[in-house]
Amino acid sequence: MRKTLGWALSVLGVLVALLGLAVMIVLGPDSRFSTGPHPIETDGIAIVTAPKVISWADVQVDLRAEVPVSKPVFVGIANSVDVQSYVGKTRRLEVTGYQRPWDVSTREVKGQVNLPGAPTALDWWIVQSAGRGGASVSTELPDETVSAVVLAVGSTNLSGVEITLAYGIKGGFYKGVSLLLLGIAAVWFGLSLRREGAWWTTEPSDEEGTLIEEQVVYVYVDEDGVEHEMSAEEAAAYDVVEESVEVVDVSDHSSEPQPEEEAEGAEEAGPDSASEVADAVEPVAPRIPGVLTAAEIAAGAEPEPVPGPTPEPEPEPEAEPEPEPEPEPVPEPEPEPEPEPEPEPEPEPEPEPEPEPEPEPDPTPDPEPSDERVVYVYVDEDGVEHEVSEDELAEFEVVDEEEES
Amino acid sequence: MKRLVLLLVVTALALSACAVPHERGDATVEKTAAREAEVTAVFNRYRTVRNTAIELLDAKPLSIVESGPVLAIDTGSFEVSQRLATTQKQDTASVDVTDVQTPRFTKYPLWFFAVVRDVKAGVNRVQIFERETAVEPWLLVASPETLADTPIPAIRREGGRALTVKPDDGVGMSMSATAAAKAYATSLADAASPEAGKVADDSFIKQMRATAETNAKLDGVTFAQSWGSDPVKYVLRTTDGGALAFVTLLRLDTYEVKDGLTVSWPEGTPQQAFLSSGISSAGKLRYFHQVLMYIPGGSGKPRAIGQYGGVVSADSQ
């Protein structure tokens, strides 16, 4: 999803940047096209664009009229309703069509030789200018029908008039620059999105940006303490002895839910099985000193002496330490466990504390191993397990016959 | 996520700052009668000129801000003041324009509707300002008054503009504005006419009929009153589907007095100002009455909800 979004953003950014570049190139630093001066043949007193000839809005228009011998001239732009009322009965040259850059069609309209009033005395011009020898106006066309007029002021006429027209986008060059920068930013953003997927999830505290994928992995631990991964169907044949939740940063893994990380102590299983172990073993918690593993118990190993009560072999991220409800094998009353601080939650709590790798991962483990061995242990007041022989077992009371698979 | 939102905000701001040139495919040639600033300027200019006329006790300056029946009525009022040597009250209070409605037009004349509250007089002036051509100024052409507590029907708006009604368009109403004006004038002239039943018997009609009956009772005097209506030009659509029309009525009072008798009016009245020596043989008084006529949507009868009028001319023998 992020890659798709990143690609889309990058493509969009390229298009926007190209658009901005095109705007810059086409409009140039002055943000407009310019054409003229173009002579217009007329001996009248008015040149007027017909309604709807100017059909664009939000276009910056600069119009300049120049007449010889410093004759007074007026240039203005106004709503076509006003202009038609003003020059409607006056003889005029009406511009009936216009094509860029400069292709105009005109027609002569007969009428009175004078204007009904001085143009400079009217209050409805959107923009107006008057001067001797020339006049110019500049405005952004409004969203209404407007007409442009060039008028002779006083008793003169417009013979010899030349028109210069420029049109563009106000600040268009800089808007092109903005578009270019915006496009570049979008491209960069898209690249970041594609390359740095963790861009979104760098902060686990960002609850909206963290993506959590839930994956259930079933493993069983054989008598050697080696974990075997199995399918959910296979797991149905076993009793669930432990459930643990492990948070794994998927950004360093492939999208496949295969555990690829090499387990610690893989070399303990022998050099020939190391690669297979790496495919089957999850990252494990460090070994807790003083606590025998199931494999050590099976091998008859003695527990290491520990100065105090050992933490639970399978630490749960609980806020309060739970007293171990394990029955005391000795007749003495069980001492109250000392409240001890909860061990630091492991970053990746292993459901099985056994780090032993599996020499030969078998996807279909034998649910009933043929070589079955019974191990008797007792747990002293410190919670340390001690293996006892069958002969010594008579001295103890069997309190738990849980079969460990 | 925050960076993405920031980027989107920046993009939106950048794009919103760009006025994208576009071709107006459905361009229509029309114009809103007046912008807000223009309306304010029109009112300020009107008050300035009117106060100048009051100061000079001369109606001539009013001709640059008023036109038609309003100018005629105000000129008559100033003439009365001059003849009676009385002063008129200057309008120095702040302009309290409570409503402005600006229709759009495809050609001149342009006009707009405004309601001005006169708290001291206890009336609302419902006014029409018109610009006949592009080279003419805005002029007040209608100004009927309603009592301050008389509700003025709301004007229907569409696309930010007030909707107008063609004077001859009577769709959705009992009659068109033009027909209502004619029926109203006919009803005033002849209470027994069939037209009288088509309009409401409102207070203006009752007052005019009462005045006519009083004048008709003068001994030795033959009194006649006739009414006519000018073409209706200003009609606005109301929200109930009706119309609000500005109707100008022309009233002519004719007196024929037997020899040896003279008809005279009390001191200080407009009639006395125009006919200071009275009417000893025959005489005429002409009045203009501007009526704000409400034509309800549906089958309701037209009725006047406001008026402004007075003597505009007189002659006697």
Side-chain angles (χ1 to χ4, degrees):
Chain A
M1 180 63 182
R2 284 194 295 269
K3 282 190 172 181
T4 305
L5 185 61
W7 272 111
L9 205 56
S10 297
V11 172
L12 184 66
V14 169
L15 294 176
V16 171
L18 289 176
L19 177 65
L21 199 60
V23 169
M24 292 168 60
I25 293 171
V26 170
L27 293 179
D30 61 352
S31 304
R32 61 181 185 173
F33 302 97
S34 187
T35 179
H38 301 281
I40 293 184
E41 293 295 326
T42 181
D43 58 354
I45 61 169
I47 302 172
V48 183
T49 61
K52 299 186 180 181
V53 168
I54 301 175
S55 59
W56 284 76
D58 294 326
V59 175
Q60 183 70 23
V61 172
D62 299 336
L63 180 64
R64 176 167 180 78
E66 293 173 291
V67 289
V69 294
S70 297
K71 290 190 289 187
V73 65
F74 175 94
V75 178
I77 294 175
N79 187 292
S80 296
V81 173
D82 294 323
V83 172
Q84 288 300 306
S85 173
Y86 180 50
V87 301
K89 296 178 180 176
T90 302
R91 176 183 168 227
R92 61 191 183 275
L93 182 70
E94 193 167 87
V95 178
T96 55
Y98 169 77
Q99 295 294 324
R100 289 166 292 174
W102 184 262
D103 180 15
V104 296
S105 53
T106 60
R107 69 177 181 123
E108 283 281 352
V109 179
K110 294 180 179 178
Q112 299 171 354
V113 294
N114 294 319
L115 291 166
T120 51
L122 303 173
D123 60 355
W124 38 255
W125 296 107
I126 295 170
V127 62
Q128 61 164 312
S129 174
R132 287 187 170 276
S136 62
V137 294
S138 177
T139 188
E140 192 171 81
L141 294 178
D143 197 7
E144 60 184 278
T145 307
V146 297
S147 295
V149 301
V150 178
L151 304 172
V153 179
S155 58
T156 62
N157 59 32
L158 293 174
S159 61
V161 66
E162 292 183 332
I163 303 294
T164 302
L165 176 66
Y167 49 89
I169 304 172
K170 191 174 186 179
F173 183 79
Y174 299 105
K175 287 177 180 175
V177 172
S178 301
L179 283 174
L180 178 63
L181 294 177
L182 189 67
I184 292 172
V187 170
W188 170 82
F189 185 75
L191 288 173
S192 303
L193 208 60
R194 282 157 40 206
R195 291 179 179 173
E196 302 171 21
W199 194 86
W200 306 74
T201 57
T202 49
E203 298 172 281
S205 59
D206 188 352
E207 64 282 0
E208 294 183 10
T210 303
L211 299 177
I212 298 175
E213 293 183 11
E214 189 172 314
Q215 180 182 356
V216 179
V217 178
Y218 299 92
V219 296
Y220 85 93
V221 182
D222 64 9
E223 65 274 16
D224 295 328
V226 178
E227 294 178 340
H228 299 264
E229 186 175 350
M230 56 187 172
S231 65
E233 293 77 16
E234 294 167 346
Y238 294 85
D239 292 333
V240 177
V241 297
E242 183 180 0
E243 291 182 7
S244 66
V245 177
E246 183 177 359
V247 178
V248 179
D249 187 358
V250 298
S251 62
D252 296 328
H253 296 266
S254 67
S255 58
E256 293 297 320
Q258 295 297 328
E260 296 177 352
E261 194 165 291
E262 188 171 346
E264 295 177 17
E267 54 275 3
E268 293 177 12
D272 54 345
S273 62
S275 60
E276 296 169 329
V277 169
D279 292 336
V281 179
E282 299 252 30
V284 296
R287 177 176 175 180
I288 301 169
V291 179
L292 290 177
T293 65
E296 287 169 337
I297 292 171
E302 289 295 323
E304 297 176 14
V306 290
T310 59
E312 293 179 31
E314 298 168 1
E316 293 290 332
E318 298 170 359
E320 294 290 331
E322 290 266 346
E324 185 68 29
E326 196 169 354
E328 181 62 37
V330 293
E332 300 167 9
E334 182 180 358
E336 192 70 18
E338 286 291 324
E340 56 181 304
E342 181 71 12
E344 286 292 323
E346 295 297 333
E348 297 174 353
E350 179 64 23
E352 180 62 36
E354 182 56 60
E356 287 292 329
E358 184 184 18
E360 292 179 8
D362 187 358
T364 55
D366 189 0
E368 295 179 358
S370 59
D371 187 11
E372 190 171 1
R373 182 186 173 215
V374 179
V375 178
Y376 301 96
V377 294
Y378 86 92
V379 181
D380 63 13
E381 64 273 17
D382 296 326
V384 177
E385 293 178 340
H386 300 270
E387 185 175 356
V388 295
S389 63
E390 290 187 11
D391 300 331
E392 296 170 327
L393 189 62
E395 300 175 19
F396 298 93
E397 179 184 356
V398 177
V399 296
D400 186 6
E401 288 188 352
E402 183 176 306
E403 184 176 341
E404 189 173 337
S405 59
Chain B
M1 196 61 173
K2 291 177 181 173
R3 292 186 208 179
L4 179 63
V5 171
L6 186 64
L7 185 70
L8 291 174
V9 169
V10 170
T11 305
L13 288 175
L15 294 178
S16 64
C18 299
V20 180
H22 60 280
E23 191 163 13
R24 302 176 65 247
D26 58 342
T28 55
V29 181
E30 63 176 13
K31 180 185 180 181
T32 300
R35 307 287 182 190
E36 185 178 349
E38 197 172 3
V39 170
T40 303
V42 168
F43 274 108
N44 289 338
R45 179 169 175 268
Y46 177 79
R47 282 202 342 145
T48 301
V49 173
R50 183 172 179 85
N51 285 338
T52 301
I54 291 170
E55 190 176 344
L56 299 173
L57 201 58
D58 186 354
K60 290 187 179 67
L62 290 177
S63 62
I64 61 172
V65 291
E66 291 183 357
S67 177
V70 173
L71 180 59
I73 294 167
D74 281 345
T75 300
S77 173
F78 270 82
E79 198 167 330
V80 170
S81 297
Q82 284 176 338
R83 294 182 183 184
L84 298 177
T86 59
T87 58
Q88 293 206 5
K89 194 175 181 181
Q90 280 203 330
D91 185 10
T92 55
S94 61
V95 176
D96 189 7
V97 182
T98 59
D99 189 19
V100 174
Q101 301 291 342
T102 53
R104 285 185 192 155
F105 300 95
T106 57
K107 62 180 181 179
Y108 276 78
L110 313 179
W111 54 269
F112 67 85
F113 164 100
V115 179
V116 182
R117 178 173 297 164
D118 188 335
V119 178
K120 290 183 179 178
V123 298
N124 285 322
R125 295 193 178 92
V126 186
Q127 300 182 324
I128 294 289
F129 283 87
E130 183 188 49
R131 192 168 199 169
E132 189 70 29
T133 68
V135 295
E136 293 181 57
W138 286 99
L139 302 175
L140 180 67
V141 294
S143 186
E145 296 174 353
T146 67
L147 295 175
D149 56 356
T150 299
I152 299 171
I155 305 301
R156 179 177 290 176
R157 297 176 63 84
E158 190 175 280
R161 60 171 178 158
L163 289 184
T164 59
V165 183
K166 291 181 179 177
D168 295 330
D169 182 5
V171 175
M173 302 177 290
S174 59
M175 63 184 75
S176 68
T178 299
K182 289 180 179 176
Y184 202 81
T186 305
S187 175
L188 283 164
D190 182 6
S193 68
E195 300 293 319
K198 294 181 180 178
V199 296
D201 203 13
D202 55 42
S203 60
F204 180 75
I205 289 180
K206 290 176 181 174
Q207 182 184 348
M208 292 298 108
R209 286 178 182 162
T211 302
E213 288 172 5
T214 301
N215 291 340
K217 290 177 182 175
L218 292 172
D219 291 336
V221 176
T222 302
F223 174 77
Q225 188 179 69
S226 62
W227 289 85
S229 61
D230 278 354
V232 180
K233 292 175 66 178
Y234 317 107
V235 188
L236 288 158
R237 178 68 73 192
T238 56
T239 54
D240 65 347
L244 200 60
F246 291 78
V247 176
T248 300
L249 300 173
L250 176 62
R251 167 186 159 197
L252 177 63
D253 289 357
T254 305
Y255 297 84
E256 290 184 3
V257 184
K258 289 184 178 177
D259 291 341
L261 294 176
T262 299
V263 175
S264 62
W265 283 267
E267 194 73 22
T269 60
Q271 291 84 352
Q272 191 268 340
F274 276 94
L275 300 171
S276 56
S277 57
I279 301 173
S280 54
S281 175
K284 293 180 180 177
L285 280 168
R286 296 180 187 82
Y287 296 79
F288 269 139
H289 293 276
Q290 287 196 318
V291 172
L292 181 61
M293 187 168 292
Y294 172 49
I295 308 167
S299 58
K301 293 180 179 179
R303 68 177 187 273
I305 60 175
Q307 78 92 27
Y308 178 62
V311 183
V312 295
S313 67
D315 55 69
S316 67
Q317 294 175 353

